[in-house]
Amino acid sequence: MPDSFVTGLESQTQEQMVNLLNARLADGIDLRLAVKQAHWNLRGRGYIGVHELLDEVSARLGESTDMMAERVAIMGGFARGTTQVVAAETKLDAYPVELTDIEAHIDALVSRFKDFGKSLREAMAEADEAGDEDTADLLTEVSRMVEKDTWFIGANAAA
């Protein structure tokens, strides 16, 4: 690994956090691509509102994955965010590519957002247990954004 710019954490802990962050990075990139898949293909009542919302959600996911990747680099690791790595490492279910119905997209996205949120909470606990408060804090920030976007997307479901 290249030089780390983190002080106060043993190299073994940093390596553990690099692996943890790269795992969530793969999920985050996968989720962002799922959001864009829905954005490009959805049809139905409320289209423009959901279409525009998904652009905003995608941008926030991009910010989140960027923060995780930069934390990996700060710790002396290599961010692993290529499509090949993401396809091999993501823990999220594959997104259906032939959906058009807004409700079906909302359901598919909310399900994946919840799964990602759960994995973020588990990673937060692992980072906290390892004594890396900065990584735990970063993951908490990402988790807050993901939960808010889960709500924004899910609120578009028909009652």
Side-chain angles (χ1 to χ4, degrees):
M1 281 191 350
D3 289 341
S4 169
F5 296 93
V6 175
T7 57
L9 285 180
E10 294 182 17
S11 61
Q12 182 178 354
T13 302
Q14 290 182 54
E15 188 173 332
Q16 177 188 358
M17 293 301 100
V18 164
N19 292 334
L20 178 83
L21 287 162
N22 269 319
R24 297 301 61 85
L25 178 63
D27 293 345
I29 292 170
D30 186 24
L31 185 57
R32 186 176 188 198
L33 291 171
V35 167
K36 291 308 284 186
Q37 179 69 26
H39 168 82
W40 297 321
N41 291 293
L42 58 88
R43 308 281 185 276
R45 184 177 305 271
Y47 162 80
I48 196 65
V50 175
H51 180 79
E52 290 175 355
L53 169 64
L54 294 182
D55 255 348
E56 296 168 10
V57 168
S58 174
R60 282 189 290 274
L61 283 168
E63 292 170 17
S64 296
T65 55
D66 195 51
M67 288 189 310
M68 289 187 282
E70 288 173 353
R71 179 76 179 151
V72 167
I74 290 166
M75 296 182 101
F78 293 99
R80 302 191 184 284
T82 65
T83 55
Q84 295 81 7
V85 171
V86 170
E89 299 296 324
T90 185
K91 300 300 181 214
L92 300 179
D93 290 338
Y95 197 83
V97 296
E98 296 183 0
L99 289 181
T100 57
D101 179 69
I102 284 180
E103 292 297 323
H105 277 294
I106 289 169
D107 290 345
L109 288 172
V110 166
S111 173
R112 283 157 184 80
F113 268 78
K114 286 180 176 180
D115 290 344
F116 185 44
K118 181 180 179 199
S119 70
L120 286 168
R121 286 188 175 278
E122 291 167 356
M124 288 162 37
E126 187 175 334
D128 189 50
E129 185 176 306
D132 185 358
E133 292 85 10
D134 290 343
T135 297
D137 185 56
L138 183 151
L139 292 166
T140 300
E141 183 177 349
V142 173
S143 176
R144 283 188 191 116
M145 283 190 274
V146 166
E147 285 184 355
K148 187 174 182 181
D149 284 333
T150 304
W151 172 55
F152 281 171
I153 295 166
N156 285 282

